[in-house]
Amino acid sequence: GAVVSQHPSWVICKSGTSVKIECRSLDFQATTMFWYRQFPKQSLMLMATSNEGSKATYEQGVEKDKFLINHASLTLSTLTVTSAHPEDSSFYICSAIYRGTLYNSPLHFGNGTRLTVT
Amino acid sequence: GDSVTQMEGPVTLSEEAFLTINCTYTATGYPSLFWYVQYPGEGLQLLLKATKADDKGSNKGFEATYRKETTSFHLEKGSVQVSDSAVYFCALSATNTGNQFYFGTGTSLTVIP
């Protein structure tokens, strides 16, 4: 159980275009989803926290107009990288947490999306 | 604020060697502690967890004990395999920060035959 599906697993796009990444919790309801960015051989950088039905909370330094997050349902959150540039190339990972669980529940991660902007 | 400090890598071991990856934490509340593993090109998978002091999490031969007195959660395995090669992340989630997770910087492990 507790499967998080992330699509696409990799995408190549041209500079200036937008890319949407989907994160779905397949067998549980997720009130909260997190979006991370990971640079090569580095740790996870939390970009934003997404709660179902409300606006995402962005971490300091993350441009909310560039990284649009929508959490329209308890099983789906999307991250759209708008007007992508080569410096946006990275590995993006989503994670989700069970609805209504205790604070000691683990995060469940998607398999990540490798974005390459040419 | 809450944080996790993890030993620097990379770590290279021969097959069947003993593994220890150190992790210490700082938390104002009563955190739960986790180890996640990331294989190349993939997301993170939960390896094990412990939710209170003296708990021992274990999975796939890996173990970690929640030590409140030393604020540590070191990961150990008695005999590593080549398939254990991955990046390992220590993490905490504290009750007073509303599901916020804090991750260590990750430790890359390479096991050679």
Side-chain angles (χ1 to χ4, degrees), chain A residues 45-97:
Chain A
M45 183 191 81
L46 179 64
M47 299 175 65
T49 301
S50 166
N51 291 300
E52 183 263 339
S54 62
K55 291 184 179 180
T57 303
Y58 289 82
E59 295 299 303
Q60 191 173 9
V62 178
E63 299 176 61
K64 62 180 180 180
D65 294 330
K66 180 167 189 62
F67 298 100
L68 300 179
I69 292 173
N70 183 282
H71 192 161
S73 75
L74 285 169
T75 58
L76 174 64
S77 177
T78 60
L79 167 67
T80 301
V81 183
T82 62
S83 187
H85 288 94
E87 57 266 31
D88 299 324
S89 298
S90 193
F91 193 56
Y92 294 88
I93 310 175
C94 73
S95 66
I97 198 161

Side-chain angles (χ1 to χ4, degrees), chain A residues 32 34 36 38 42-44 46 49 59 91 93 97-98 101-112 114, chain B residues 32 34 36 38 41-46 49 51 87 89 93-101 103-106:
Chain A
T32 305
F34 302 90
Y36 294 87
Q38 187 178 35
Q42 293 189 24
S43 187
L44 304 171
L46 179 64
T49 301
E59 295 299 303
F91 193 56
I93 310 175
I97 198 161
Y98 280 117
T101 54
L102 299 176
Y103 290 120
N104 59 12
S105 294
L107 282 181
H108 302 281
F109 286 84
N111 274 337
R114 171 72 59 195
Chain B
S32 293
F34 306 86
Y36 284 85
Q38 184 180 31
E42 298 183 11
L44 277 68
Q45 301 174 26
L46 177 66
K49 71 173 187 177
T51 58
V87 180
F89 291 92
S93 172
T95 56
N96 60 334
T97 55
N99 283 347
Q100 177 69 281
F101 274 71
F103 286 88
T105 53

Side-chain angles (χ1 to χ4, degrees), chain B residues 7-104:
Chain B
M7 69 181 281
E8 295 275 339
V11 174
T12 302
L13 295 173
S14 296
E15 205 166 21
E16 299 184 1
F18 185 86
L19 168 71
T20 299
I21 300 177
N22 290 337
C23 172
T24 57
Y25 67 89
T26 302
T28 54
Y30 300 94
S32 293
L33 302 172
F34 306 86
W35 277 101
Y36 284 85
V37 57
Q38 184 180 31
Y39 297 102
E42 298 183 11
L44 277 68
Q45 301 174 26
L46 177 66
L47 182 58
L48 52 85
K49 71 173 187 177
T51 58
K52 61 183 187 296
D54 299 325
D55 269 3
K56 178 186 282 187
S58 62
N59 185 27
K60 299 180 181 179
F62 291 89
E63 292 184 342
T65 301
Y66 189 140
R67 302 282 188 202
K68 189 176 180 182
E69 64 276 13
T70 54
T71 62
S72 65
F73 192 55
H74 305 321
L75 181 69
E76 296 181 337
K77 186 174 185 181
S79 176
V80 293
Q81 305 300 313
V82 172
S83 57
D84 294 326
S85 298
V87 180
Y88 293 82
F89 291 92
C90 185
L92 74 80
S93 172
T95 56
N96 60 334
T97 55
N99 283 347
Q100 177 69 281
F101 274 71
Y102 299 88
F103 286 88

